[in-house]
């Protein structure tokens, strides 16, 4: 039976907040079994914010969580990396209001965790296993989870632009035979230069650069090194979706499908799942139902 895991020892990094433009630091620290993933701002050391879909406070170009008016933004890449490295429990200390963007992917978070390693906790790992489909729709965008023996993600990125039109817009990955670290984690954020000024006018993307994003003009990719994957754009959407789904509090056994979905719709889906405990069950790695788990079907306070 697989046990829960945490990071072996504390690891630190310093970087720029992609939205604030401020230099900040992050410290990922070990935590005990059943602690989950919780965030703490160094300027509010007594306020712990559980990484839960109920605590999502903003989804404008990133995912933010908050509790008692204390907010931490841009957590999705780190959450995706924690999922990819099988980390169930960790305390994440952030030096300010935003997790540093590092290189714009989850890859450097993966490297940090890999550098210090992981260790087992004294409790079985838990999985949220879907029993029926749950779907949310907004306009022509859609996000859904449904039963599947394992974990699979399918995503369709729809945007009519000369650069995007030259790249794959649909990817389906079954993680029983796909490596998150090798095939997904290094996919970077991306954006059109023509939209940057508008984002910065509402205090977003103030720290954006070609060092932490793929920049695109009217006809070409601006980064000298080009893309890391031929399908990097859609794979970054998958990376984001995995991070947002991990706000369910445990890994999912099921299939996620997204069509034009972003952080807002992903969070609507997470909350729909949390409100519908009859549509899923919690199991251990042997597929046995966990009897001591109580579903949280409404917003909860941080612990």
């Amino acid at each position: 039976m697989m046990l829960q895991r945490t990071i072996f020892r504390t690891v630190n990094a310093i970087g720029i907040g992609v939205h604030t433009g401020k230099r900040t630091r992050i410290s990922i620290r070990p935590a005990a079994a059943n602690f989950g993933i919780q965030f703490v701002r160094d300027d509010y050391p007594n306020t712990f914010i559980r990484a839960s879909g109920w605590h999502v406070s903003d989804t404008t170009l990133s995912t933010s969580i908050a509790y008692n008016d204390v907010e931490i933004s841009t957590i999705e890449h780190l959450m995706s990396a924690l999922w990819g490295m099988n980390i169930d429990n960790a305390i994440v200390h952030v030096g300010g209001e935003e997790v540093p963007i590092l290189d714009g992917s989850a890859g450097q978070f993966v490297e940090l965790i890999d550098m210090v390693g992981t260790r087992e906790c004294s409790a079985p790992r838990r999985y949220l296993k879907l029993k029926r489909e749950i779907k949310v729709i907004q306009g022509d965008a859609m996000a859904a989870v449904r039963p599947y023996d394992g974990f699979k993600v399918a995503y369709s990125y729809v945007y009519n632009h000369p650069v995007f039109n030259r790249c794959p817009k649909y990817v389906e990955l079954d993680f029983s035979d796909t490596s998150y670290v090798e095939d997904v984690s290094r996919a970077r954020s991306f954006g059109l230069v023509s939209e940057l000024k508008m984002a910065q006018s509402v205090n977003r993307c103030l720290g954006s650069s070609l060092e932490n994003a793929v920049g695109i003009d009217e006809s070409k990719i601006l980064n000298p090194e080009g893309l890391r994957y031929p399908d990097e754009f859609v794979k970054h959407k998958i990376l984001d979706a995995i991070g947002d789904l991990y706000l369910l509090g445990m890994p999912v056994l099921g299939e996620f499908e997204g069509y034009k979905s972003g952080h807002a719709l992903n969070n609507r889906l997470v909350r729909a799942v949390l409100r519908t405990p009859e549509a899923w069950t919690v199991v251990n790695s042997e597929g046995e139902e966990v009897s001591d788990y109580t579903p949280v079907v409404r917003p909860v306070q941080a612990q």
Side-chain angles (χ1 to χ4, degrees):
M1 181 180 296
M2 290 185 63
L3 298 179
Q4 295 175 23
R5 303 196 73 83
T6 188
I7 194 166
F8 187 78
R9 60 179 172 85
T10 298
V11 67
N12 305 291
I14 297 175
I16 296 295
V18 69
H19 293 306
T20 63
K22 298 176 182 177
R23 191 171 176 83
T24 187
R25 65 182 178 276
I26 189 172
S27 174
I28 309 170
R29 306 179 185 182
N34 298 320
F35 184 85
I37 311 298
Q38 300 195 40
F39 287 75
V40 187
R41 273 176 58 167
D42 290 347
D43 48 350
Y44 294 93
N46 297 318
T47 300
F48 284 68
I49 311 173
R50 182 174 293 279
S52 164
W54 293 126
H55 288 148
V56 171
S57 55
D58 192 3
T59 53
T60 307
L61 299 179
S62 68
T63 297
S64 303
I65 54 174
Y67 178 69
N68 280 352
D69 297 324
V70 179
E71 186 174 64
I72 297 176
S73 63
T74 319
I75 69 166
E76 63 273 10
H77 299 172
L78 174 58
M79 290 299 298
S80 189
L82 292 171
W83 176 90
M85 296 298 285
N86 298 316
I87 298 293
D88 303 279
N89 307 293
I91 307 172
V92 182
H93 283 254
V94 184
E97 61 199 271
E98 185 175 19
V99 173
I101 195 65
L102 301 184
D103 72 347
S105 75
Q108 291 187 340
F109 291 119
V110 165
E111 291 172 4
L112 287 170
I113 296 168
D114 188 57
M115 182 172 64
V116 297
T118 66
R119 61 177 171 83
E120 292 181 338
C121 302
S122 57
R125 195 167 205 222
R126 294 170 170 175
Y127 301 82
L128 189 150
K129 182 177 181 180
L130 272 300
K131 296 195 291 186
R132 66 171 175 81
E133 181 183 70
I134 300 175
K135 179 189 293 186
V136 293
I137 297 172
Q138 183 172 346
D140 62 345
M142 181 275 295
V145 287
R146 57 182 65 98
Y148 184 74
D149 185 17
F151 182 62
K152 182 167 72 171
V153 176
Y155 192 92
S156 298
Y157 181 66
V158 181
Y159 198 107
N160 185 21
H161 182 278
V163 173
F164 297 138
N165 291 344
R166 294 197 295 267
C167 298
K169 292 186 177 181
Y170 176 81
V171 168
E172 181 177 308
L173 300 175
D174 186 328
F175 285 92
S176 65
D177 56 17
T178 298
S179 167
Y180 171 87
V181 173
E182 297 297 327
D183 299 326
V184 177
S185 71
R186 297 177 64 249
R188 294 162 292 178
S189 299
F190 57 92
L192 299 173
V193 172
S194 60
E195 297 178 351
L196 183 59
K197 186 176 292 187
M198 180 176 293
Q200 291 179 338
S201 71
V202 293
N203 293 319
R204 294 284 170 170
C205 300
L206 299 178
S208 183
S209 73
L210 295 182
E211 294 184 357
N212 55 45
V214 178
I216 304 159
D217 68 9
E218 292 81 2
S219 61
K220 63 182 181 299
I221 293 167
L222 300 177
N223 304 64
E225 72 278 13
L227 295 177
R228 293 176 174 177
Y229 308 108
D231 47 7
E232 185 167 2
F233 301 131
V234 66
K235 278 188 174 175
H236 185 79
K237 289 293 189 177
I238 288 175
L239 184 156
D240 278 347
I242 288 172
D244 288 338
L245 278 180
Y246 207 24
L247 293 173
L248 286 166
M250 65 189 79
V252 171
L253 291 178
E255 176 185 0
F256 169 85
E257 181 183 3
Y259 178 85
K260 296 178 66 174
S261 65
H263 299 301
L265 199 58
N266 292 344
N267 184 242
R268 279 188 55 193
L269 176 63
V270 165
R271 292 188 178 198
V273 173
L274 293 173
R275 284 194 302 265
T276 319
E278 65 273 15
W280 45 272
T281 188
V282 176
V283 300
N284 61 28
S285 61
E286 303 298 318
E288 303 163 340
E289 289 198 15
V290 175
S291 60
D292 62 345
Y293 180 80
T294 303
V296 178
V297 297
R298 58 184 181 277
V300 293
Q301 295 185 352
Q303 299 176 359

